[in-house]
Amino acid sequence: MTMKTRVLTVALATVMLTIGVLGCSNTNNQVSESDKINKETKKLNIVNGKIEPTATFTTIRMDNPVVKFRDGESISDNTFTRWVENKLGVKIKTLWTGGATDGSFTTKMKLMLSSGEKMPDIVNVGDPNNFNLLMDSGKFMDVGDVFEKYASPAYKAAVAEKEDAWLPFIRDGKKMAIPSADEDFGQAQSVLWIRQDWLDKLNLKAPTTIGELETVMDAFVYQDPNGNGIKDTFALDFAMKERLSGAAIGDASWIFGLFGAVPERWYPGEDGKLQYGSTQPGVKQGLAKLNEWKSKGYIASDIALHDTNTIVQAVTSDKVGIVAAPAFFMGYPGSLLQASHPNALYVPYPLPVGVDGQNMRTNLNLVGATLINKDISDEALQAFFHYINSMYEGSESGDPFYFRGYQEGYDYIVKDGKIVTEEKEIPGGKIDTSVYVFITSGVSPKRNKELFDKIANREELTDEDRALMISTGTNAGITPIQRSVYDAYLVSKKQASANVKQYYMGPTTSTMSSRNELLQKMQMEAFTKIIYGEAAVNTFDQFVEKWKSMGGDTITSEVNEWYDSVK
Amino acid sequence: MGMNTAVPAKKMKLSRTKGSWGLYLMILPAVVLTTIFVYVPMSGLLMAFQDYKPYLGISKSPWVGLDQFKFLFEYPDSIQVIWNTLKISFLKLVIGMISTLGFALLINEVKHKFLRTSVQTFVFLPHFISWVVLGGIFIQLLNPEYGLVNQLLQALGQEPVFFLGSNHWFVPIVLLTDAWKEFGYGSIIYLAALVGINPALYEAAQIDGAGKLKQMLNITLPSLIPTICVMLTISLGGVLNAGFDQIFNLYNPLVYESGDIIDTFVYRIGLIGGNYSFGTAIGLFKSVVGLILILVGYRIAYKVAGYKIF
């Protein structure tokens, strides 16, 4: 068995090393990619996919409280980092770790920057504030050339699959960070979660048009769907305390999307230029509709106070019929509701067809960035690319056991040549090692999407699929809550054309930093008053005029200047 | 508290004797700690006059003079926000003073020991509940449809009111809920002062035939004046803090007009740009105003009540 694996490993390492270098098939023949491109840099000695002697690169990592560890391991020293060192000959040296949720990672990183300390070789961050700060610090390199030079075809292909991946990282035409190649495979920010038990009880079917939506909403308010004899339910809940688009739970953008606009987002208009959603005529119609719904009692009368937290409270107290939310909704807060109301069930449905058949909703821009220190040693640079190329090639290899070195005994054990993932079978308890992985487990967005489709459509999974599930930490959709995630995925996928991302991905301009707050406050005040009927719908036009004159026009031209420069 | 006059002369004498070195040694740790943790970090105030960038640090960030302050005062909404802050916080001060003092005086008259201590415990409790939780509770209580308050109003034949969405009601609600939360805790200091009043005064008054009310007006209140002065003067320093946690959890776009305060404004601006310098400038501005008010309060307390706090 072990012999077999070893042979397999060697064979795979060969494949991995030779991908992109056609005709080279001898394991002992050291691959000389870097030689080809730049004769001056000294290439590292790679034997069987392992750098010898071991090369090191430094980094910093986040501590996430939900990540489980065993046997005294930590994010900087665990089964995965040991595997990388033993198998790839790359030592990932973590200089320090900081909390992801309490902000201490960011604080430490800022302190490191301001004290003038030497930055780590590689930094991988997901928060735009963080990568903007790092990119502007001048301590990181233009990665364009080194990415071209060292990234393997598989790595390059994965990044290329992501639409507009480089846009947030371009400064003065230079690529200041490598985009993370993970994408939200068509999962929209929001699908409509409707109380199925209420629909069933009132003999209704899920709405497909605005008219049907209103019928359902009317029944959800006036026919006592929760059956407690008191009129204490409202049909629709959404967040509008601070903004209308992009709340983690209760996004309201789809309501305006029924009329062809997404507030608070920059997206191309008919003339191809970026326009600000909040000032589009569709928003005016949306506000008029919300005002109507408000006066009919379909939405809570204190809706102006509702944000994600308030919505969670309302949902869990069995009061809300319809909420737009991401795929995890039944997990949180749905499971809390079910704890007290076991028969309560939200089911994901597509958005009802809007006016003239149009549908729009905001979508999350998933961004992550890998920055490379401009003073990185050539050895460390090659070590980093060797590591990440190997991850991609391992995932593409089709070998379920490629990552066995760090997964076995944690994610699964191997019994009679078969992978066993049952918790009770694994000595010491099951651990999801996908969260130990640095930057990426090397699965391309396309491959990930295929896997998701297969699970969602309950197709037969291959061993390779199962291996990918383990290395990406994807669940099989067995419990009803896990299943609901895939159901929501399928629902949102059918309406993927409605998804509108934030097209502006450039840096915050000076007009933005001095005017955004004012414009947003003005918008929320004007819109809320229209929804509450305290101001006429036509005051929307005054808002648009004011928005333009108080900085909106300047921001629009700045945004388009950027858009033209990257298009 | 009252015997200040004799102390300075004694101190002078002490400092000339060798024995005082021991005292200086004893105060040394406090001086060192205050220097390290209070005075050294104050150098960060320089950020208020810079366009601070974390990767440049204080030494290399560009200087912009008073630009951050100019931005605050030239911002179209500033007047409204500063006015709201002052209004809410002054009213809170007054109502807080009346409610805590009133409660202390009343509870002091309760002679049943068990009743008194249990009431005290109960009214202390709200102080320890965070506004995040209380915000949720008040939003529920004041809900226009199923909130308890509006159900009562409807039972009395009144129209339901969206208290938190009305510029007319928002500030009163803020004041009321704040007073409710803090009066128990705030009264501790007055209760302590009440214990310190010489019982002989009351005995003498009783002999003179003064009733409870007379005793309260002529003995209790005058004895509390120094404490009231201290409390008022100290709270003047925080007059630009109108209570971020509370407002943030209760406000919404409908009541920006009456309820948006400096801190919520800074929060929203900070969210957009992570503007450290602007945040520092606001902090400095608030501290300077607070210091001026404390000094003024100190003077007034001295002039009016003839009482020196420091």
Side-chain angles (χ1 to χ4, degrees):
Chain A
M1 183 65 220
T2 43
M3 187 60 205
K4 205 173 155 191
T5 329
R6 202 172 293 150
V7 171
L8 202 66
T9 317
V10 172
L12 272 161
T14 319
V15 174
M16 188 194 72
L17 282 171
T18 51
I19 279 182
V21 188
L22 285 166
C24 177
S25 59
N26 185 347
T27 19
N28 293 325
N29 191 1
Q30 285 141 29
V31 177
S32 48
E33 270 187 25
S34 48
D35 247 4
K36 275 199 311 187
I37 302 155
N38 190 346
K39 291 241 155 42
E40 287 151 45
T41 43
K42 193 175 148 269
K43 65 173 169 37
L44 295 179
N45 179 32
I46 300 174
V47 184
N48 294 344
K50 182 176 179 183
I51 299 177
E52 278 181 7
T54 302
T56 305
F57 70 83
T58 58
T59 187
I60 47 181
R61 296 194 69 178
M62 283 193 187
D63 274 323
N64 197 327
V66 300
V67 173
K68 281 197 295 179
F69 292 104
R70 220 173 59 184
D71 314 328
E73 295 189 338
S74 69
I75 197 72
S76 34
D77 176 22
N78 55 52
T79 175
F80 171 74
T81 58
R82 287 194 297 273
W83 175 83
V84 173
E85 189 167 347
N86 297 333
K87 171 132 188 187
L88 306 176
V90 176
K91 185 164 169 50
I92 303 178
K93 190 175 167 201
T94 307
L95 299 179
W96 51 259
T97 62
T101 45
D102 62 2
S104 64
F105 175 86
T106 306
T107 309
K108 272 183 170 174
M109 195 186 75
K110 282 176 182 162
L111 280 175
M112 203 176 188
L113 273 172
S114 62
S115 67
E117 218 177 302
K118 187 180 175 299
M119 293 304 286
D121 293 329
I122 307 290
V123 181
N124 185 62
V125 283
D127 175 5
N129 285 331
N130 282 349
F131 63 67
N132 281 330
L133 187 71
L134 293 171
M135 284 194 295
D136 296 336
S137 71
K139 296 193 170 162
F140 293 88
M141 63 157 74
D142 173 357
V143 296
D145 291 340
V146 292
F147 183 73
E148 223 19 73
K149 188 161 142 187
Y150 293 120
S152 70
Y155 183 18
K156 282 182 185 161
V159 173
E161 272 173 31
K162 189 176 170 181
E163 193 192 347
D164 295 337
W166 292 93
L167 287 196
F169 313 115
I170 294 177
R171 290 285 186 279
D172 305 321
K174 290 184 198 145
K175 295 171 170 171
M176 296 308 294
I178 305 171
S180 300
D182 24 68
E183 214 177 354
D184 61 345
F185 22 94
Q187 288 188 91
Q189 164 87 19
S190 47
V191 292
L192 278 198
W193 292 87
I194 306 182
R195 279 292 288 266
Q196 188 62 45
D197 50 326
W198 290 9
L199 285 176
D200 293 345
K201 187 176 169 213
L202 303 171
N203 269 325
L204 292 161
K205 60 184 189 59
T208 55
T209 63
I210 299 180
E212 287 176 18
L213 176 66
E214 286 173 340
T215 312
V216 169
M217 289 203 292
D218 202 84
F220 276 3
V221 175
Y222 297 104
Q223 295 182 23
D224 190 23
N226 61 2
N228 61 358
I230 310 165
K231 185 187 158 293
D232 63 347
T233 53
F234 42 98
L236 172 68
D237 205 357
F238 54 87
M240 60 168 290
K241 186 175 168 176
E242 280 166 340
R243 61 192 77 90
L244 293 164
S245 280
I249 293 168
D251 165 45
S253 66
W254 65 275
I255 302 168
F256 302 93
L258 297 171
F259 304 93
V262 178
E264 297 157 12
R265 291 287 179 271
W266 293 96
Y267 54 91
E270 279 170 8
D271 56 358
K273 282 185 182 305
L274 294 188
Q275 55 176 10
Y276 195 55
S278 297
T279 58
Q280 301 310 310
V283 169
K284 188 178 176 181
Q285 290 167 271
L287 290 171
K289 191 46 108 181
L290 282 174
N291 173 240
E292 184 193 325
W293 289 352
K294 168 84 181 47
S295 59
K296 286 183 176 164
Y298 297 166
I299 51 186
S301 37
D302 62 353
I303 189 85
L305 279 160
H306 285 212
D307 57 12
T308 295
N309 287 335
T310 333
I311 294 169
V312 168
Q313 283 171 21
V315 164
T316 50
S317 54
D318 192 28
K319 286 199 165 70
V320 187
I322 305 169
V323 182
F328 62 73
F329 185 71
M330 264 318 279
Y332 180 85
S335 59
L336 298 181
L337 167 67
Q338 285 186 327
S340 53
H341 302 81
N343 296 322
L345 178 68
Y346 282 96
V347 167
Y349 283 104
L351 305 174
V353 181
V355 173
D356 303 328
Q358 55 193 341
N359 272 121
M360 290 168 96
R361 63 181 156 208
T362 187
N363 205 16
L364 276 183
N365 290 30
L366 257 191
V367 280
T370 307
L371 295 100
I372 304 177
N373 193 323
K374 68 175 181 189
D375 299 326
I376 191 172
S377 73
D378 199 57
E379 182 187 300
L381 185 65
Q382 290 186 48
F384 165 69
F385 276 101
H386 177 67
Y387 157 71
I388 202 158
N389 291 342
S390 306
M391 290 306 284
Y392 274 99
E393 277 142 38
S395 285
E396 306 272 306
S397 68
D399 171 22
F401 286 116
Y402 186 83
F403 295 121
R404 180 179 184 171
Y406 68 87
Q407 291 171 337
E408 190 180 4
Y410 287 81
D411 294 283
Y412 57 80
I413 53 161
V414 179
K415 233 183 188 175
D416 309 325
K418 281 218 178 330
I419 289 177
V420 180
T421 55
E422 265 72 39
E423 170 98 46
K424 58 180 190 309
E425 300 280 343
I426 302 170
K430 184 177 161 128
I431 298 257
D432 175 10
T433 58
S434 69
V435 289
Y436 295 172
V437 171
F438 183 57
I439 301 182
T440 176
S441 47
V443 183
S444 72
K446 195 167 131 248
R447 186 69 190 83
N448 219 341
K449 215 178 285 187
E450 285 166 9
L451 176 65
F452 232 73
D453 278 340
K454 270 188 162 179
I455 305 173
N457 293 318
R458 296 181 164 86
E459 284 171 34
E460 190 79 20
L461 298 175
T462 64
D463 282 349
E464 193 194 337
D465 292 330
R466 270 188 274 272
L468 283 189
M469 283 169 64
I470 290 166
S471 54
T472 54
T474 309
N475 69 61
I478 296 161
T479 68
I481 283 173
Q482 285 176 358
R483 196 68 236 171
S484 72
V485 173
Y486 291 101
D487 291 343
Y489 162 68
L490 285 181
V491 165
S492 74
K493 202 183 155 198
K494 283 190 192 112
Q495 278 183 327
S497 63
N499 297 345
V500 178
K501 65 174 178 186
Q502 174 67 290
Y503 279 76
Y504 181 71
M505 294 182 242
T508 309
T509 67
S510 63
T511 323
M512 284 183 190
S513 60
S514 66
R515 280 293 174 259
N516 266 353
E517 191 277 336
L518 182 74
L519 297 174
Q520 179 69 13
K521 180 176 170 183
M522 211 167 77
Q523 176 206 300
M524 287 317 297
E525 212 165 2
F527 289 8
T528 313
K529 286 194 165 154
I530 294 176
I531 294 174
Y532 271 81
E534 288 180 17
V537 178
N538 281 332
T539 54
F540 175 80
D541 303 326
Q542 289 155 30
F543 156 73
V544 174
E545 285 312 309
K546 244 173 112 184
W547 184 86
K548 284 181 176 168
S549 64
M550 292 186 86
D553 272 343
T554 322
I555 296 178
T556 308
S557 58
E558 285 170 350
V559 162
N560 277 296
E561 217 170 277
W562 170 87
Y563 193 54
D564 289 338
S565 74
V566 295
K567 220 170 11 179
Chain B
M1 255 186 183
M3 312 212 298
N4 288 354
T5 42
V7 178
K10 257 189 189 168
K11 236 187 207 166
M12 293 282 284
K13 251 188 205 164
L14 261 177
S15 67
R16 287 197 209 99
T17 64
K18 274 185 185 169
S20 64
W21 286 109
L23 296 177
Y24 280 122
L25 207 65
M26 283 159 81
I27 210 176
L28 189 67
V31 171
V32 170
L33 287 178
T34 318
T35 313
I36 293 175
F37 291 111
V38 178
Y39 289 102
V40 173
M42 270 193 201
S43 59
L45 288 177
L46 290 175
M47 275 162 63
F49 306 96
Q50 292 182 325
D51 182 13
Y52 179 77
K53 297 272 184 278
Y55 50 86
L56 294 174
I58 290 180
S59 55
K60 287 181 198 145
S61 290
W63 294 89
V64 295
L66 293 175
D67 277 8
Q68 304 291 353
F69 297 92
K70 256 196 231 157
F71 181 74
L72 171 65
F73 288 106
E74 286 173 359
Y75 205 74
D77 279 1
S78 287
I79 305 281
Q80 186 198 52
V81 165
I82 294 173
W83 167 242
N84 285 344
T85 310
L86 287 173
K87 181 181 68 187
I88 291 176
S89 125
F90 264 115
L91 288 172
K92 267 189 182 174
L93 204 74
V94 172
I95 292 174
M97 181 62 60
I98 295 171
S99 59
T100 47
L101 190 58
F103 174 72
L105 291 175
L106 290 175
I107 198 80
N108 193 44
E109 296 302 323
V110 177
K111 295 297 172 217
H112 193 288
K113 193 164 180 260
F114 176 75
L115 188 66
R116 189 173 66 204
T117 46
S118 51
V119 168
Q120 274 185 22
T121 311
F122 273 110
V123 296
F124 286 174
L125 286 178
H127 171 79
F128 299 102
I129 309 175
S130 123
W131 268 114
V132 181
V133 177
L134 281 181
I137 294 175
F138 283 119
I139 289 172
Q140 293 292 316
L141 278 176
L142 298 168
N143 183 292
E145 277 137 357
Y146 47 83
L148 199 66
V149 177
N150 274 304
Q151 280 181 356
L152 270 174
L153 278 182
Q154 276 167 302
L156 295 170
Q158 302 286 317
E159 281 290 302
V161 184
F162 181 15
F163 291 100
L164 295 174
S166 138
N167 282 308
H168 187 66
W169 282 106
F170 185 74
V171 174
I173 294 289
V174 164
L175 298 174
L176 218 68
T177 52
D178 179 69
W180 169 78
K181 184 175 188 294
E182 300 299 340
F183 81 92
Y185 187 76
S187 64
I188 294 180
I189 199 125
Y190 293 114
L191 288 170
L194 283 169
V195 176
I197 299 174
N198 189 349
L201 292 172
Y202 290 108
E203 280 162 27
Q206 267 168 351
I207 291 166
D208 288 347
K212 281 277 170 208
L213 189 68
K214 286 254 164 166
Q215 288 179 28
M216 189 187 277
L217 290 177
N218 294 320
I219 301 171
T220 317
L221 270 182
S223 315
L224 284 179
I225 293 243
T227 318
I228 297 176
C229 285
V230 176
M231 296 305 291
L232 261 184
T233 312
I234 290 174
S235 33
L236 272 179
V239 90
L240 287 183
N241 295 322
F244 172 78
D245 309 9
Q246 184 194 14
I247 306 263
F248 182 71
N249 282 297
L250 294 177
Y251 85 152
N252 60 77
L254 282 176
V255 291
Y256 277 162
E257 201 181 311
S258 61
D260 196 17
I261 56 169
I262 296 180
D263 290 342
T264 47
F265 162 73
V266 172
Y267 166 79
R268 291 197 309 274
I269 274 227
L271 260 191
I272 297 165
N275 195 335
Y276 309 97
S277 288
F278 185 63
T280 314
I282 297 260
L284 183 59
F285 169 68
K286 282 166 58 176
S287 306
V288 169
V289 173
L291 179 69
I292 293 171
L293 285 172
I294 286 190
L295 289 176
V296 170
Y298 172 76
R299 284 262 148 219
I300 295 176
Y302 182 56
K303 281 250 162 72
V304 175
Y307 176 70
K308 270 198 163 159
I309 298 168
F310 308 115

